[in-house]
Amino acid sequence: MEWKPHITVATVVEDHGRFLMVEELKHERAVLNQPAGHLDPNESLIQAAIRETFEETGYDVELTGVIGIYLYTAPSNGVTYQRVCFAGKALKHHPDSPLDTGIIGPRWLTRDELLAQRDRWRSELTLLCIDDYLSGKLFDLSLIRPSV
């Protein structure tokens, strides 16, 4: 069996104590996650984070830093994901923009509201990324180097 980690991005967007989350269907169950998704061919990590946030929420965002790089193996299927999580700020909402298949819609939640719905998290990374953001450790975007 060939082992292939999946490269993903996620974006933590905070506005006055509320975080931009995505409510989406996963195996016919509504779950919560940051705007997140896979890196596409010929795309930078920064481009992927901006694109995924827009496709899943209808929000244009400006990335402000790198929160962390996470390695996660999903217990449900054994797939390993490397997630690069960014911090960003919402610039403009396009409420009529079509969202990706399976996306119910964007939701703004406080950390406490998210914590109260632990059974709906897509993964443990959902709260971990927010808590790392809240800890104040934010790396400059220059950490992400362009392709050579």
Side-chain angles (χ1 to χ4, degrees), residues 46 64-67 86 137-145:
I46 290 171
T64 58
V66 179
I67 297 169
F86 294 90
K137 294 178 187 170
L138 195 62
F139 300 92
D140 191 88
L141 287 172
S142 66
L143 177 69
I144 305 300
R145 305 296 294 164

Side-chain angles (χ1 to χ4, degrees), residues 114-132:
L114 184 61
L115 192 57
Q117 300 181 61
R118 183 180 208 117
D119 61 322
R120 296 189 58 213
W121 298 351
R122 175 129 185 206
S123 79
E124 296 299 314
L125 291 177
T126 304
L127 189 67
L128 180 59
C129 289
I130 288 173
D131 284 347
D132 285 351

Side-chain angles (χ1 to χ4, degrees), residues 31-148:
V31 297
L32 297 166
N33 196 14
Q34 279 87 27
H38 288 82
L39 178 68
D40 283 349
N42 303 312
E43 182 178 50
S44 74
L45 292 165
I46 290 171
Q47 290 167 334
I50 291 168
R51 174 186 54 77
E52 285 290 350
T53 302
F54 182 77
E55 289 176 354
E56 294 190 350
T57 68
Y59 278 90
D60 292 323
V61 294
E62 175 187 349
L63 300 183
T64 58
V66 179
I67 297 169
I69 300 170
Y70 306 82
L71 198 60
Y72 175 76
T73 301
S76 61
N77 59 13
V79 173
T80 299
Y81 299 89
Q82 180 181 357
R83 173 189 268 204
V84 180
C85 189
F86 294 90
K89 65 178 182 179
L91 299 176
K92 182 177 180 182
H93 188 217
H94 304 269
D96 297 327
S97 178
L99 303 178
D100 277 351
T101 302
I103 302 296
I104 298 168
R107 305 288 181 257
W108 288 94
L109 301 172
T110 65
R111 184 188 182 282
D112 288 343
E113 289 169 335
L114 184 61
L115 192 57
Q117 300 181 61
R118 183 180 208 117
D119 61 322
R120 296 189 58 213
W121 298 351
R122 175 129 185 206
S123 79
E124 296 299 314
L125 291 177
T126 304
L127 189 67
L128 180 59
C129 289
I130 288 173
D131 284 347
D132 285 351
Y133 166 81
L134 290 171
S135 77
K137 294 178 187 170
L138 195 62
F139 300 92
D140 191 88
L141 287 172
S142 66
L143 177 69
I144 305 300
R145 305 296 294 164
S147 299
V148 289

